[in-house]
Amino acid sequence: MYKVNEVFETIQGEGSFTGAAAIFIRLQGCPVGCSWCDTKHTWEVNDEQRLPLGDIVIKTAETEHWAGVSVEEILALFVKEGYQAKHVVITGGEPCMYDLNPLCEALHSKGYSTQIETSGTFEIKAPAKTWVTVSPKVNMAGGYKVLQSALDRANEIKHPVAMEKHIDELLRLLQQTDITAKLVYLQPISQQRRATELAIAMCKKYNWRLSVQVHKYLGIS
């Protein structure tokens, strides 16, 4: 069973799949504690906030409510809702608190591609063909360390930046990681002008890529 905060179909707004139609599965629970997190409603798992899956799908606002959902129920929901996208993004919260192998394997068997968005602070349990986006969270309030195994597994590293120290953090992480076959993105925190200018300058300097959270500029989920 997976604790699901919301499921919705939209356009992926970040990283290498920017612009792709996607179904998002947002899982509940995250102890990492990022101060700028824009999904803080997914941090806590409280039994009194549990709802049936049907009520989760029709939510019209961000809430701490979640549903306990099986793999079979997730697949049935896609059919019931008439989702057309064939790319599934599993996010959170921190999705790697869960073993994602059963969910991803079931999705692959139905012709979906899968992507995980994780902080890199938990072991990644997912099939080899799942695309893994590690957005490394360094020195956050929860005290979790970015795992070397997560950096090694990543297909792309998407680092949130607002100031020079965030660039220094990323450079230290990359020193111990072979990035030959990985994509490296900088993502300005909260679309701040200074952060965006810094990210652009560093992308030029290190030949990295820019991720600008297109969905926020468009005003969509």
Side-chain angles (χ1 to χ4, degrees):
M1 300 290 285
Y2 295 95
K3 295 179 174 65
V4 175
N5 177 276
E6 59 181 337
V7 180
F8 57 95
E9 188 176 44
T10 187
I11 298 295
Q12 170 63 290
E14 303 178 4
S16 60
F17 286 95
T18 295
I23 304 167
F24 275 70
I25 301 173
R26 189 178 302 283
L27 300 181
Q28 189 76 13
C30 182
V32 178
C34 303
S35 60
W36 64 81
C37 177
D38 56 5
T39 56
K40 289 183 179 180
H41 60 285
T42 67
W43 286 9
E44 302 296 330
V45 179
N46 299 311
D47 287 341
E48 61 269 24
Q49 300 287 352
R50 184 168 182 166
L51 293 175
L53 178 57
D55 291 345
I56 292 297
V57 175
I58 62 174
K59 283 201 302 183
T60 57
E62 296 178 347
T63 73
E64 296 182 357
H65 293 105
W66 57 275
V69 186
S70 69
V71 171
E72 293 74 19
E73 287 173 319
I74 290 173
L75 292 174
L77 176 68
F78 287 8
V79 175
K80 179 176 181 291
E81 294 298 314
Y83 295 148
Q84 297 299 305
K86 300 302 288 184
H87 183 65
V88 178
V89 181
I90 306 169
T91 185
E94 174 45 71
C96 290
M97 293 174 62
Y98 301 85
D99 181 354
L100 299 174
N101 278 295
L103 176 56
C104 290
E105 288 170 352
L107 289 167
H108 295 163
S109 73
K110 297 297 184 181
Y112 295 95
S113 59
T114 57
Q115 177 185 2
I116 296 168
E117 297 182 343
T118 175
S119 65
T121 58
F122 284 79
E123 181 184 355
I124 298 169
K125 300 176 182 178
K129 66 189 295 185
T130 294
W131 183 272
V132 175
T133 301
V134 171
S135 183
K137 301 304 189 294
V138 182
N139 297 325
M140 295 296 117
Y144 288 81
K145 301 295 184 183
V146 177
L147 302 180
Q148 185 62 46
S149 62
L151 293 172
D152 292 341
R153 173 64 180 83
N155 297 100
E156 65 179 2
I157 296 172
K158 178 166 59 66
H159 194 56
V161 297
M163 56 191 74
E164 291 281 355
K165 75 171 186 177
H166 298 136
I167 302 299
D168 295 337
E169 291 168 353
L170 178 59
L171 288 170
R172 284 193 292 270
L173 290 173
L174 296 184
Q175 283 177 354
Q176 61 194 34
T177 306
D178 181 6
I179 63 170
T180 304
K182 302 182 192 303
L183 300 174
V184 179
Y185 287 86
L186 295 183
Q187 184 160 289
I189 293 173
S190 301
Q191 293 81 50
Q192 299 172 17
R193 180 174 180 178
R194 188 180 70 168
T196 301
E197 291 173 348
L198 173 63
I200 290 172
M202 293 300 101
C203 285
K204 291 177 180 178
K205 181 176 181 178
Y206 294 106
N207 200 30
W208 295 336
R209 301 185 178 199
L210 184 69
S211 176
V212 294
Q213 294 187 294
V214 170
H215 57 291
K216 292 188 176 180
Y217 286 99
L218 296 175
I220 61 175
S221 297

